[in-house]
Amino acid sequence: MARSETIRGWGFVAPALLWTIAFFVVPFGVMAAMSLATLEGRELIWGFSFQNYARLFGQSYLLRAIMVSLEITLTVTIVSVLLAYPLAWIIAYRVPERWQRLALLLAILPFWTSYVVRSYAWLLVLSREGVINQTLLGLGVIAEPLTLASTRLATVTGFVHFFVMLLTLTIYANLVQLPPNYRRAAVDLGASSWQAFRHVILPLTLPGIMTGAFLTFVLCIGDYITPQILGGNNELTGPQIIMVQLGRGANFPLAAAMSIVLMGLVTLAYLGAARWLRIDRL
């Protein structure tokens, strides 16, 4: 009987397991092996060499690209959380229940447009002839157009616009599941509104915050489109350098090594978030 149940359980797990092995484990293994290979001229030499990692950490422009990606990702994650939490709070507690679905629909409306289209739309808004510059010039606030496009600010703005919507959904889902009696009990026991939020509401909504923050980190650090369109080539990120290595130099081993490093940063972010959430549940 137990053997039959085991076989049946593996039957349910097998499709997802095979999918993960075929489309994650095998490609990741190939990429890891590629990062240990070397490129001599145009010839790819398979082996076990850390030459690509030594070059990655030894050449300042390559290491700088990784650091830029990490800085942008952390900035976007923090700003998105700070903007998304109040928005989710307003929708959950200030908007009447019959209007909450409409509010959520309006919040995720930008998801209906293409990722590339949103990036180009922000490029038009932030350009020297864009809405922001023209408005400030018309009001007499500035005398010359500001350089907003092709900067880190433009890249962060484009990312935040996208990820605030994602975080709002994850945080809202946590907020609406909290029984209102928790907050009322804290207030009845003498806690102020701020103390009730800090010691009761915020800890209970950390899973939603951390889930959204981790998804933001993963999607942002590996994104190529937004930095390419909004950031230009003034400050290259890791994914942009990877595309340069693939497109111009066909240096697959170095590109694979950079990808492994980015994957390592994502893994560290996951371990940090998972450990925090486990402690929060105790």
Side-chain angles (χ1 to χ4, degrees):
M1 190 69 179
R3 180 182 177 86
S4 176
E5 290 294 329
T6 301
I7 295 175
R8 184 180 178 184
W10 277 108
F12 285 116
V13 173
L17 184 61
L18 291 174
W19 181 275
T20 302
I21 292 174
F23 296 102
F24 177 76
V25 176
V26 173
F28 182 78
V30 173
M31 185 173 67
M34 179 71 71
S35 71
L36 299 175
T38 56
L39 193 65
E40 296 183 4
R42 292 291 181 178
E43 184 179 0
L44 182 65
I45 308 298
W46 294 93
F48 195 80
S49 171
F50 290 94
Q51 175 183 336
N52 298 304
Y53 293 97
R55 181 181 174 187
L56 172 59
F57 291 102
Q59 295 190 0
S60 59
Y61 80 96
L62 295 175
L63 187 59
R64 176 59 183 165
I66 299 295
M67 293 306 299
V68 167
S69 291
L70 186 59
E71 291 169 5
I72 291 176
T73 299
L74 292 176
T75 302
V76 169
T77 302
I78 294 172
V79 173
S80 297
V81 169
L82 294 178
L83 293 178
Y85 203 103
L87 179 58
W89 179 279
I90 291 172
I91 295 176
Y93 295 133
R94 295 292 182 263
V95 176
E97 187 174 351
R98 66 179 181 275
W99 296 110
Q100 288 185 9
R101 290 186 179 181
L102 178 60
L104 287 174
L105 178 64
L106 294 175
I108 66 173
L109 195 60
F111 274 116
W112 295 6
T113 59
S114 168
Y115 194 62
V116 177
V117 171
R118 285 198 301 270
S119 297
Y120 275 111
W122 273 111
L123 183 62
L124 294 175
V125 171
L126 298 172
S127 66
R128 294 179 66 85
E129 294 78 22
V131 175
I132 294 179
N133 272 317
Q134 293 303 313
T135 301
L136 294 177
L137 287 170
L139 295 174
V141 177
I142 57 176
E144 296 290 335
L146 301 175
T147 302
L148 300 176
S150 298
T151 62
R152 181 182 294 196
L153 175 62
T155 301
V156 170
T157 301
F159 274 134
V160 168
H161 176 229
F162 177 78
F163 291 117
V164 162
M165 299 177 290
L166 177 65
L167 276 157
T168 298
L169 292 178
T170 60
I171 297 172
Y172 170 83
N174 256 179
L175 288 173
V176 295
Q177 292 176 3
L178 295 181
N181 289 334
Y182 286 179
R183 185 173 48 176
R184 295 170 186 166
V187 173
D188 288 343
L189 291 173
S192 64
S193 297
W194 166 247
Q195 290 174 327
F197 169 77
R198 179 183 176 185
H199 296 291
V200 179
I201 304 300
L202 183 60
L204 292 175
T205 54
L206 275 178
I209 297 173
M210 295 304 295
T211 299
F214 176 68
L215 290 175
T216 299
F217 189 95
V218 172
L219 296 174
C220 185
I221 200 169
D223 190 277
Y224 167 77
I225 298 297
T226 299
Q228 183 68 19
I229 296 176
L230 294 177
N233 294 318
N234 294 328
E235 192 177 39
L236 296 180
T237 63
Q240 287 177 292
I241 291 290
I242 291 173
M243 291 301 296
V244 169
Q245 298 301 324
L246 294 175
R248 297 181 183 177
N251 195 337
F252 290 92
L254 182 57
M258 293 191 69
S259 301
I260 292 294
V261 171
L262 291 178
M263 189 71 178
L265 293 175
V266 170
T267 303
L268 291 176
Y270 169 75
L271 293 176
R275 181 172 64 252
W276 191 8
L277 290 178
R278 284 201 300 270
I279 293 176
D280 179 67
R281 293 192 187 102
L282 294 178

